[in-house]
Amino acid sequence: MTDAPTSAAPRVAFVTGGSRGIGRATVLALARAGHPVGFCYAHDTEAADATVRDAQAIGVNVAAVRADVADTKDVDAAFEEIEQALGPVTVLVNNAGITRDGLIARMSDEHWNDVLDANLTGAFHTIRRATRSMMKARYGRIVNVSSVGGQMGNAGQANYAAAKAGLLGLSRSVARELAPRGITCNVVALGPIVTAMTEALADDWRARAEAAVPLGRFGTADECAAVIAFLCSDAASYVTGALVPVDGGMGMGH
């Protein structure tokens, strides 16, 4: 027997980096699944407000808070605000991340630490905080957003690839530790995705990137969000510790 709720409606979701791109698409996908959704964002208040409006239009309760996931106090404050507004968080999606690209010989300590803090340590902070309510409910879904670069590596992104690879070890350790409490933890490894950043890249770079993908195109934020939402659902209750690629076949074999 379990104290977990029997429908998505009471299961409050928290998405980090939820104001734009894949995070925004995930907030909306979870809202369509019936979850009250809270999300945090770093800087773009205008985009966060737009995401709130669009999620509210779906018909669920939504809350947004500005927070730096690399800062433990910010994470604790964000959870307190979201949980006061919506209720205990039992679904967590770690999407927040940054890049500070550069060749390894010239990469500064600051750029290394910034990326590891935001992309890996930030996920540790939110998972640690979320497990309070998940363990009490004996129910939880955790999805960590990684990258095909975490398995394949990428020149000029040693910090980013290291952080994204680290998410796999973190997730599988969490999956083993929390499975007896009915909590799953999985990773999605994304390939090239259409975002504002990739849209601004030179045509020749985009052409080379597309050529490396067996399906011959970039993925969309909605395609990523659909897989994330599945892993947050009851349909994925027997999936934990998995690395799920959403990369058009780019990383097969890794």
Side-chain angles (χ1 to χ4, degrees):
M1 298 294 292
T2 177
D3 297 327
T6 57
S7 68
R11 291 176 179 160
V12 176
F14 184 25
V15 180
T16 70
S19 62
R20 297 182 294 173
I22 295 161
R24 168 188 162 82
T26 299
V27 168
L28 298 181
L30 291 172
R32 285 191 289 269
H35 296 277
V37 187
F39 68 91
C40 69
Y41 64 98
H43 304 294
D44 196 338
T45 301
E46 184 177 346
D49 290 343
T51 300
V52 168
R53 289 194 298 271
D54 289 346
Q56 287 175 334
I58 294 169
V60 300
N61 292 327
V62 188
V65 59
R66 187 168 177 172
D68 176 5
V69 295
D71 186 312
T72 303
K73 291 181 179 179
D74 263 22
V75 168
D76 287 342
F79 268 85
E80 287 177 13
E81 185 170 339
I82 294 298
E83 293 190 328
Q84 285 178 5
L86 303 177
V89 170
T90 54
V91 175
L92 173 65
V93 178
N94 280 308
N95 170 71
I98 63 171
T99 57
R100 298 287 186 270
D101 296 351
L103 297 177
I104 190 71
R106 293 197 288 269
M107 184 173 289
S108 67
D109 289 350
E110 180 182 10
H111 282 182
W112 173 270
N113 291 330
D114 285 350
V115 171
L116 269 290
D117 286 347
N119 297 16
L120 180 57
T121 304
F124 160 69
H125 288 159
T126 60
I127 292 169
R128 180 176 61 184
R129 179 59 176 77
T131 53
R132 296 182 192 175
S133 51
M134 291 182 183
M135 291 179 72
K136 186 175 181 179
R138 299 190 68 84
Y139 176 92
R141 298 283 185 269
I142 301 168
V143 180
N144 295 318
V145 179
S146 185
S147 165
V148 66
Q151 284 67 56
M152 297 177 64
N154 198 23
Q157 288 194 316
N159 48 6
Y160 183 79
K164 292 302 188 180
L167 282 175
L168 182 59
L170 171 64
S171 299
R172 286 181 169 164
S173 297
V174 169
R176 289 185 182 276
E177 185 173 327
L178 299 183
R181 295 280 185 162
I183 300 167
T184 66
C185 185
N186 294 289
V187 179
V188 292
L190 307 183
I193 306 299
V194 176
T195 63
M197 181 179 69
T198 58
E199 287 288 278
L201 295 170
D203 289 344
D204 60 339
W205 188 95
R206 283 181 56 86
R208 288 196 300 272
E210 288 174 347
V213 179
L215 286 179
R217 64 174 178 86
F218 281 26
T220 69
D222 286 340
E223 288 172 321
C224 300
V227 176
I228 293 168
F230 165 72
L231 292 171
C232 292
S233 73
D234 286 343
S237 60
Y238 202 55
V239 181
T240 195
L243 175 69
V244 182
V246 187
D247 64 3
M250 188 176 183
M252 61 176 78
H254 296 275

